[in-house]
Structures are given as C-alpha cells and as structure tokens.
Amino acid sequence: MLSVSIASPSTIILPPKPKSSIPKTSFTGVRILHLCPQRLPSQATSFRQPSPSSSVVMMAKREEEMKEIRAKTTEEINDEVVELKGELLMLRLQKSVRNEFKSSEFGRMRKRIARMLTVKRERELEEGINKRLSRKLDRQWKKSIVVKPPPSLIKLREQEAAEEAEKSAA
C-alpha cells in the first residue's frame, strides 16, 4: 500500500512516517515501504507435522510389540529371527525379479528383527555375558541354523500344489 497525494506540480505531500524498526541511516531520499499483508499461520505452507496423538499410538504399538517379544523364550526369539531373515530374503528376491511387493515390509521386518535381537542381548546382559562371549555364541548359533524355507514360501508351494491337484482332478 503506497499513498502519495499530489496537490500541485511543485509540492508532494507524503503521509507521516510510520514508526518502524528500520535503522536510521544518512539516506535523505524518500523511503517507500511496501506493506504486505502477513500470512496467517493457517495459510502458511508448512510440512506436515505428525500429530501428537499419532505418535502416542505408534509408541503404544511399539511397547505392545516389545511386551509380546519379551514374553517369548530365547529359543522362540531365535527361531523367529531366522524366519524373518528368510522372509527378508524372499522380499529381496521379489524385488530383484521385479514382482509386486510392499516396500514398507523391508523396514518393518528389519525393525522387528532388531527389536528381537535387542531383547536377546538384554537377556545376555542380565546373565552377565560380555560382548566377546556374546559374539562367540552368535557365531555358534548361526552355524547351527538349519536352512529351511520361510513360511511365505511354504504357503506359496502349498497353494501351487493345491492348484495342480485341482487341474489334475478336473
């Protein structure tokens, strides 16, 4: 908003200077200020921030999952880690073959594996097992793993066998 009124060709009447936070300088010319309306916070574009309630829900789910994991025995945790790593391998294979899959499953499975291994390490610390012995036990455990297909592959094979049985019966 600029207001200048011209009374005659020789005189220009300017409105009184508004008191502003602009520092005074030796400049003696006319200072023109463009007064722009400020945006309201609701109009301002900003990145979406997660609401506090959604983060509370996520924390509750995570805590619930941790309670579920802590209720399992160490052997059950080891078995589930092996299964989840197999599922992760299957996802990688699907990605390499360019099949359809949910990419969010990678992060979900990796986080679940990390939570399980964290609980396993917490138990080792409670038993007084130091880091060096823990790594030695991990190496022994990894060598003792019997490779078996992940549950998703077993289900897929069962479905294919059922389809073949239907085709041969028809």
Side-chain angles (χ1 to χ4, degrees):
M1 294 173 23
L2 179 66
S3 62
V4 176
S5 59
I6 301 176
S8 68
S10 62
T11 58
I12 297 177
I13 301 171
L14 295 175
K17 289 185 179 180
K19 293 183 180 180
S20 66
S21 62
I22 299 174
K24 295 192 177 200
T25 63
S26 61
F27 179 69
T28 58
V30 177
R31 184 173 286 151
I32 300 174
L33 297 175
H34 293 281
L35 302 173
C36 298
Q38 293 181 347
R39 285 187 166 189
L40 296 173
S42 61
Q43 293 174 341
T45 56
S46 63
F47 294 104
R48 186 176 173 198
Q49 296 291 327
S51 65
S53 62
S54 67
S55 62
V56 170
V57 171
M58 290 301 291
M59 289 293 286
K61 285 183 182 178
R62 198 173 308 132
E63 289 298 321
E64 190 175 301
E65 185 178 3
M66 288 301 286
K67 285 180 184 175
E68 175 188 319
I69 293 171
R70 285 190 174 105
K72 296 181 179 184
T73 65
T74 306
E75 287 75 27
E76 289 174 345
I77 289 175
N78 288 340
D79 292 340
E80 194 163 345
V81 166
V82 171
E83 287 178 6
L84 284 172
K85 285 191 175 187
E87 291 291 331
L88 207 53
L89 176 69
M90 292 301 295
L91 271 178
R92 282 193 209 106
L93 290 175
Q94 284 182 351
K95 182 180 177 184
S96 67
V97 179
R98 300 186 185 206
N99 287 348
E100 286 189 24
F101 66 96
K102 291 183 180 177
S103 59
S104 63
E105 290 294 309
F106 281 109
R108 189 186 64 77
M109 281 187 192
R110 281 197 304 259
K111 285 182 180 180
R112 182 142 174 97
I113 291 169
R115 287 185 186 118
M116 291 188 167
L117 293 176
T118 300
V119 170
K120 183 179 169 186
R121 180 67 183 137
E122 285 173 355
R123 290 182 182 169
E124 288 175 352
L125 289 173
E126 287 173 1
E127 294 173 8
I129 298 175
N130 63 10
K131 191 173 183 179
R132 187 173 186 173
L133 182 59
S134 173
R135 287 186 179 170
K136 183 178 179 183
L137 293 173
D138 275 348
R139 280 194 297 271
Q140 290 173 355
W141 170 68
K142 286 177 182 177
K143 287 179 183 176
S144 70
I145 294 174
V146 177
V147 179
K148 57 183 178 183
S152 62
L153 184 61
I154 294 171
K155 288 180 185 177
L156 183 65
R157 287 181 181 169
E158 289 173 356
Q159 288 174 351
E160 288 175 352
E163 288 174 3
E164 288 180 17
E166 289 177 7
K167 287 180 182 178
S168 62

